[in-house]
Amino acid sequence: MWIYEKKLQYPVRVSKCDPQMARYLSEQYGGADGELSAALRYLNQRYTIPDKIIGVLTDIGTEEFAHLEMIATMIYKLTKDATVEQLKAVGLGDHYASHERALFYENASGVPWTAAYIQAKGDPIADLYEDIAAEEKARATYQWLIDMTDDVDLQDGLKFLREREIIHSQRFRESVEILKAEQGVKKAF
């Protein structure tokens, strides 16, 4: 089913050790509007979506896992050379005590990921509007993350992710229009 090519969807580079930025990035790793939540939301919603749209949710949901891997790589690279003192100084002491340097699905405040972040109403239009909102919130978060770092290498990867959120939002908007047009078609049997 899967062909695994050992490379990221887009290269991840960082110029310096920056545990504070790693902490901020964890919002996109385990936060409510992060990549894990998006991937699981879309792959779950596809079971109650019309056949015409299943591929959109499957493709975007799968791509979100690739983005999750990019974020994990960024966090790892930003913290791999940090001292325990540096981690504690930026508020990652609790994380270090529980997980050492292992990644853990939590947001930037250290709150663990929860399935309550996943929305699925079962109504295709409602779900797609939720998906559009999720993509727009992720886009905004990526912009804020870009604004918080002076690391141009890191900014490059974050800009790629921000642009993918825009594309995903556009695909979901197109899907809404397809379903709306289909609702207006009179069915004769």
Side-chain angles (χ1 to χ4, degrees):
M1 179 174 155
W2 294 96
I3 297 174
Y4 181 68
E5 187 177 342
K6 199 170 181 173
K7 73 177 195 176
L8 297 173
Q9 183 183 14
Y10 189 84
V12 168
R13 296 181 311 274
V14 300
S15 299
K16 60 185 176 182
C17 174
D18 189 348
Q20 183 67 60
M21 195 63 202
R23 180 176 176 194
Y24 297 148
L25 280 170
S26 67
E27 189 64 34
Q28 289 302 90
Y29 191 69
D33 301 313
E35 302 294 351
L36 177 65
S37 297
L40 295 175
R41 176 185 301 119
Y42 308 150
L43 293 175
N44 185 58
Q45 288 174 351
R46 67 195 176 122
Y47 292 100
T48 55
I49 203 92
D51 288 345
K52 284 186 169 188
I53 310 301
I54 287 174
V56 173
L57 288 167
T58 303
D59 291 350
I60 294 175
T62 303
E63 185 178 345
E64 298 293 1
F65 281 123
H67 297 171
L68 187 68
E69 187 175 24
M70 289 176 64
I71 294 294
T73 302
M74 289 174 185
I75 293 169
Y76 171 75
K77 287 184 174 189
L78 289 166
T79 59
K80 71 181 177 81
D81 296 325
T83 65
V84 174
E85 290 75 28
Q86 287 174 307
L87 295 171
K88 287 174 19 182
V90 299
L92 290 173
D94 293 343
H95 177 93
Y96 185 84
S98 295
H99 309 288
E100 210 257 356
R101 293 176 197 276
L103 278 96
F104 184 74
Y105 294 112
E106 60 190 10
N107 68 14
S109 299
V111 177
W113 184 88
T114 174
Y117 293 159
I118 298 174
Q119 299 298 318
K121 193 67 177 171
D123 177 88
I125 301 290
D127 283 345
L128 287 168
Y129 277 121
E130 168 63 32
D131 300 344
I132 293 165
E135 293 295 326
E136 293 299 334
K137 289 185 275 185
R139 176 202 46 79
T141 301
Y142 278 123
Q143 184 59 56
W144 299 328
L145 290 167
I146 291 164
D147 294 345
M148 288 194 289
T149 184
D150 60 357
D151 183 335
V152 294
D153 288 330
L154 181 60
Q155 285 177 340
D156 179 58
L158 294 172
K159 286 177 182 177
F160 170 82
L161 292 168
R162 180 195 60 201
E163 295 307 308
R164 293 308 301 159
E165 303 299 344
I166 293 168
I167 298 299
H168 294 169
S169 178
Q170 290 171 342
R171 296 296 83 82
F172 288 138
R173 290 171 197 274
E174 291 165 1
S175 297
V176 166
E177 294 308 313
I178 289 168
L179 294 180
K180 283 182 176 179
E182 207 170 77
Q183 284 178 337
V185 174
K186 193 172 193 172
K187 295 178 173 77
F189 297 97

